[in-house]
Amino acid sequence: MIGKLISHREWLLGALIIMMLVGVGSAAPFFVGAANLAEVFDDTAILIMLACAQMLVILTRCIDLSVASNLAFTGMCVALFNVAFPETSAFVTLVMSIGIGLILGAFNGLLVWLVGIPSIVVTLGTMSVYRGFVFLLSDGEWVNAHEMTPQFLALPRATFLDLTVLSWIAIALTLVMFIFTRFTKTGLSIFAVGGNPKAAVYSGLDVGKHQFITFCISGAVAGMCGYLWVSRYAVAYVEVALAFELQVVAACVIGGISIAGGIGSIWGAVLGAIFLGLIKNALPVIGISPFWQLAISGLVIVLAVIINSRSEKRGGRRILREAHQ
């Protein structure tokens, strides 16, 4: 039943995205051209990756509000490292960014797992702490493009089969996440932990451990995105990706991931991110002020929450009826 519900939401969101493309394309045909859609996907790639990782955290009935601050701190770290050691290869820098992000995510996970602090409290705190670290590390200064090496800047912008490497990384991560959640014991256990924590404990699953794992994944992905963001936009500063965590959570909610845990899919998170990316890029094209983006996104989020809530209640009633039959 849950699988059918998720599938239904994904098809509905996919149809809505197609309708949006048709509507915008009728007003501005160039928008639905292959080259422009590739640029839109490239612009949305980081949001897709962060939404996929955030989905895992939300499935365990937690939330990670520190992803954007993690991204900013890691991005500043690798940018300053590139200035100090310009001979370092892009691959080493990418691995370094993943490692830094993993450490920050693991810190969040340990506080949730071993100390027992609610995730929203932990990540609200570390969101400010990590952002403060960016200022302390850079002394409030910017690292600009002319200070970065060509190899540092080249990785996400390089193209292969008309898509940037950044886009290919997002596609690869999506596939890895899909395989992880559908075909691995740990990935399947994450759904069980979020769906019914008490039953999971009786089944021998360590709820806190699985929450810790998802925070580690979220942190590692955020760290990787820190390097990709800074190298793509060729600048690192304190306010990089400020409040971006809200878009990440919004993409998950719009994609049908239940804040109550246990329900969701990678494809839903991806479609939610693409939906927000299309809104961001389409509004200026059809002459709507970008200031309406927040209002429209907020309205969509509220509607998605209402739909999620009603769907979960209907699912619960069906289960009760089946149990009494």
Side-chain angles (χ1 to χ4, degrees):
M1 183 273 296
I2 292 177
K4 292 181 179 180
L5 172 61
I6 294 173
S7 177
H8 173 72
R9 285 294 304 275
E10 289 172 354
W11 282 107
L12 182 62
L13 185 54
L16 187 60
I17 289 173
I18 293 173
M19 290 171 59
M20 185 187 305
L21 288 173
V22 171
V24 177
S26 63
F30 76 90
F31 186 82
V32 294
N36 187 71
L37 290 180
E39 289 184 12
V40 172
F41 186 80
D42 181 65
D43 187 56
T44 313
I46 290 178
L47 178 58
I48 290 173
M49 290 186 280
L50 292 175
C52 288
Q54 183 75 232
M55 187 209 77
L56 298 180
V57 178
I58 293 177
L59 283 177
T60 64
R61 300 193 177 191
C62 291
I63 194 167
D64 187 357
L65 298 177
S66 68
V67 287
S69 298
N70 182 331
L71 182 157
F73 175 74
T74 305
M76 180 60 74
C77 284
V78 295
L80 291 173
F81 186 84
N82 178 250
V83 172
F85 303 97
E87 70 281 0
T88 306
S89 69
F91 176 76
V92 171
T93 304
L94 182 64
V95 173
M96 182 185 303
S97 67
I98 295 173
I100 295 172
L102 174 61
I103 292 171
L104 299 182
F107 180 71
N108 288 336
L110 287 173
L111 290 177
V112 173
W113 178 21
L114 300 182
V115 184
I117 306 174
S119 62
I120 190 170
V121 176
V122 168
T123 56
L124 272 174
T126 55
M127 175 177 69
S128 300
V129 171
Y130 297 162
R131 186 71 65 173
F133 283 168
V134 182
F135 181 84
L136 293 175
L137 190 64
S138 64
D139 198 26
E141 299 293 330
W142 289 35
V143 180
N144 295 301
H146 69 274
E147 301 174 82
M148 303 174 184
T149 61
Q151 62 265 27
F152 180 88
L153 299 173
L155 178 62
R157 305 171 184 216
T159 58
F160 175 71
L161 298 178
D162 296 327
L163 285 178
T164 63
V165 170
L166 175 59
S167 297
W168 284 114
I169 291 175
I171 292 171
L173 181 70
T174 299
L175 293 176
V176 169
M177 289 286 193
F178 173 73
I179 294 171
F180 174 71
T181 55
R182 290 290 298 272
F183 302 106
T184 69
K185 181 178 179 180
T186 301
L188 294 171
S189 296
I190 288 173
F191 285 90
V193 164
N196 193 329
K198 292 183 178 180
V201 171
Y202 291 137
S203 300
L205 297 176
D206 189 329
V207 174
K209 180 181 177 180
H210 283 80
Q211 291 172 338
F212 172 75
I213 290 172
T214 62
F215 274 106
C216 287
I217 295 173
S218 177
V221 172
M224 179 179 67
C225 290
Y227 165 57
L228 296 173
W229 182 298
V230 168
S231 58
R232 181 180 188 267
Y233 295 106
V235 64
Y237 58 101
V238 175
E239 295 183 348
V240 160
L242 188 65
F244 197 67
E245 64 277 348
L246 300 180
Q247 293 189 46
V248 175
V249 175
C252 291
V253 172
I254 292 171
I257 289 84
S258 172
I259 298 297
I263 298 176
S265 74
I266 289 296
W267 305 121
V270 171
L271 289 172
I274 291 175
F275 181 82
L276 290 179
L278 285 175
I279 289 179
K280 174 186 174 183
N281 287 275
L283 291 185
V285 171
I286 58 179
I288 298 177
S289 170
F291 293 105
W292 280 99
Q293 179 185 341
L294 291 176
I296 294 174
S297 299
L299 178 61
V300 172
I301 292 168
V302 171
L303 292 175
V305 170
I306 293 173
I307 293 172
N308 288 350
S309 177
R310 291 179 63 85
S311 297
E312 289 163 19
K313 287 180 180 178
R314 286 197 299 269
R317 286 195 292 267
R318 289 193 187 99
I319 292 172
L320 288 173
R321 285 200 300 268
E322 292 170 2
H324 284 288
Q325 288 177 354

